[in-house]
Amino acid sequence: MTVELGQFALILAFAVAVLQMIVPMIGAQKGWQGWMRFATPAATAQVLLTAFAFAALTWAFVTSDFSVKLVVMNSHTDKPLIYKISGVWGNHEGSMLLWLLILAIFGAAVAWFGQYLPERLKARVLAVQASISVAFYGFTLFTSNPFERMPIAPLNGQDLNPLLQDPGLAFHPPFLYLGYVGFSIAFSFAIAALIEGKVDAAWGRWVRPWTLAAWSFLTVGIALGSWWAYYELGWGGFWFWDPVENASFMPWLIGAALLHSAIVVEKREALKSWTILLAILAFGFSLLGTFIVRSGTLTSVHAFASDPARGTVILLILGFFLGGGLTLYAARASAMEAKGIFSLVSRESALVMNNVLLAVAAFVVLIGTIWPLITEIAGRTVSVGPPFFNAAFTPFMIALSVILPIGSVLAWKRGTLSKALQQLWGAAVLAFALMALTWVVTGGHSMLGPVGVLIGTWVVAATVLDTWARTGRGTIGGRLQRLTRLPRADWGKAFAHIGFGVTILGIALSLSLLKEDIRVVQVGESYNVGDYTFVMTGVHDLDGPNYITRMADIEVSQDGRPVTTLHPEKRFYVFAGMPTTEAGISSNLLRDVYVVLGDPQADGGHAMRTYIKPFVNWLWLGAMLMAVGGGISLSDRRLRVAAGAAKQARPRGVPAE
């Protein structure tokens, strides 16, 4: 009965979304306040109904209701509770329901917290948001129904994909969807602005918090996915330029450009047309990612589904919203007159360069991702892998890293380059000194480490100097007090930029200082990798909750001192009939010792891969700092949702909060 109620709630949410799409839009066009105000209770009803549907499906998984086809295909009675819950979204149908829930939550958040938005704009934003919901409700109900029943309920299920039975993958999709779907709000604001023909400083402030929230969530989602691939797949890497990895990375790049472009709209009322275009493209790339994951067009270990028919429907949804948005943009963009004028050397110009580099980098990734598909249509088979992406993408990030600190200290409208460089000379000296040190340590065999240290240190040190400079002059004690009183938006920017630099350092140092060893190891045998000695003291066969495993015991020492004992595993999930690799990893802030147990050999030994990866954890530390920076900025009162409209909307004589 609970499942049927969930299905009914989803159908009702679909009907409410249809009404929310139509009624407020007509009300905004006619000036009918009652029709415009209908959007708020409709958005509330939609999120409550969708939440009930999601809870009903979750209950079916938790209670192992094998009368539901989705539970049969993705669960098992012996599976741990956390993976029963994550099994709800560890498949195509359930993940679409999660997508709808997050879509409804974002729409309701605009309805609840957008009290200072102009009534017409708010009604149009919620109507556009509802139109996106309508498309995905229809797609879910008619092609991907998560509540489909089994004709005869089996005694047990077929288990969730073993690769998804991991804490990293339990939380990775929700954060990723919060990012993907979050950009729908920026899209809705852009379409509403095009319909009204008005973009001003207040619009830039309204759209910025939503973009910042989506970008921060997407940052966490990408970092969790990278971390999972690093320790779960047993290959020792953190990014493979896989199509699905690229599908999440492209909207992240466009979203970063949109964030910085919206600042220019807010501060200087410039780049209006460009910012609208970025808002459309950010959500367009999110829809493209949905298509790649679910259509089976491009092969990926991360793909949820490989159904060309459903992929075609998603492609039609992508074409409708992206094509319709760009068509409306072409028709109305000329009305987005820019007011701010700025010189070639100014913060605005630096942000324009930032935007161009990020946007072009995103399109480079797009070309590399879809090129195999294009060549296949032409009758050829071409593989585009890491060498292409590394060579084509890296120069844009180097240029961005050089420009970013300088742009942060330039004045608005008209700046002085020599003054900016004078403020940052200490950061430049430190960056070049550490580059020289890295060159000596690595033996000059590769420029990856030295150049990465140069630009990473430059970004981090310059951001620290810029933040310190904002405290003015005076005694150190006084400046420290003023430092604690800096606006949260300034602190958020500092955290995000430092995180970007730390990520660069992590990537460059972990790759340039990597030590790797592959060999067959017998029980009792020892071997050396770098300064570390490894001894395999035993191999055991054990039973897990829903798998059997072969586990090795690897004692690790450094210069004769015991460090740790690692337990790499080869698991086999009986019900799914699938093996997985569980690396043994010893981590700290300076390095990872990473051991992977391979297949048994004819002579009784086991294949063993061993890596020493210095500073690799700085990569995820940097990503978390970027996300934390976004959260700190969101907590700034000036960046609260629609705070920019509060002053305009408040009647005369009514005091501020």
Side-chain angles (χ1 to χ4, degrees), residues 550-582:
R550 172 161 290 188
M551 178 187 295
D553 300 324
I554 310 292
E555 293 184 355
V556 184
S557 59
Q558 184 179 24
D559 298 327
R561 299 187 305 274
V563 174
T564 187
T565 299
L566 300 177
H567 303 284
E569 300 179 57
K570 291 287 288 188
R571 291 180 180 175
F572 183 77
Y573 288 76
V574 179
F575 300 105
M578 183 175 174
T580 66
T581 298
E582 303 291 325

Side-chain angles (χ1 to χ4, degrees), residues 13 56 128 145 167 185 188 229 233 241 252 276 342 429 448 484 505 590 617:
V128 175
N145 184 7
I185 297 294
S188 297
L233 297 184
W241 295 104
W252 186 88
I276 292 286
F342 50 88
V429 170
L448 173 63
T484 62
L505 287 169
L590 298 180
N617 290 301

Side-chain angles (χ1 to χ4, degrees), residues 4-186:
E4 280 69 30
L5 289 174
Q7 171 102 43
F8 185 61
L10 195 61
I11 295 171
L12 281 180
F14 184 24
V16 171
V18 172
L19 292 174
Q20 184 184 331
M21 176 180 67
I22 298 171
V23 174
M25 188 66 78
I26 294 175
Q29 191 67 28
K30 299 290 187 179
W32 299 340
Q33 290 188 344
W35 286 43
M36 286 189 284
R37 290 171 183 167
F38 172 80
T40 296
T44 302
Q46 190 189 145
V47 73
L48 291 176
L49 288 166
T50 309
F52 180 85
F54 187 81
L57 184 62
T58 303
W59 181 252
F61 270 85
V62 170
T63 59
S64 297
D65 183 354
F66 295 122
S67 68
V68 180
K69 182 178 179 180
L70 197 65
V71 179
V72 173
M73 301 297 294
N74 297 278
S75 192
H76 191 274
T77 53
D78 291 336
K79 191 167 63 172
L81 178 61
I82 184 176
Y83 302 132
K84 287 184 178 180
I85 296 173
S86 63
V88 176
W89 56 79
N91 55 82
H92 168 70
E93 291 82 1
S95 65
M96 288 311 306
L97 187 55
L98 177 62
W99 174 286
L100 282 169
L101 176 60
I102 294 173
L103 196 61
I105 289 172
F106 271 104
V110 174
W112 298 335
F113 303 115
Q115 66 267 32
Y116 294 127
L117 288 169
E119 201 164 35
R120 288 177 186 266
L121 178 65
K122 180 179 178 180
R124 287 186 169 118
V125 168
L126 289 174
V128 175
Q129 188 73 7
S131 71
I132 301 170
S133 296
V134 167
F136 282 98
Y137 279 122
F139 173 75
T140 302
L141 286 169
F142 295 115
T143 74
S144 310
N145 184 7
F147 297 105
E148 183 180 348
R149 289 283 196 178
M150 293 288 290
I152 300 176
L155 295 177
N156 220 326
Q158 299 178 17
D159 209 357
L160 179 67
N161 183 336
L163 289 175
L164 304 182
Q165 296 187 40
D166 179 87
L169 259 289
F171 299 103
H172 164 64
F175 277 103
L176 211 59
Y177 292 171
L178 284 165
Y180 276 163
V181 179
F183 286 127
S184 66
I185 297 294

Side-chain angles (χ1 to χ4, degrees), residues 249-251 253-254 285 357-367 393:
F249 192 42
M250 289 183 286
L253 292 168
I254 296 294
F285 273 111
L357 289 168
L358 286 168
V360 174
F363 279 96
V364 166
V365 176
L366 173 64
I367 291 170
F393 179 81

Side-chain angles (χ1 to χ4, degrees), residues 641-657:
V641 178
K647 191 174 181 180
Q648 297 178 10
R650 192 182 303 116
R652 290 184 180 180
V654 177
E657 292 181 358

Side-chain angles (χ1 to χ4, degrees), residues 226 229-231 234-239 594 613 620:
S226 171
Y230 170 72
Y231 71 78
W235 61 299
F238 47 79
W239 195 261
Y594 185 110
K613 305 177 76 67
W620 299 292

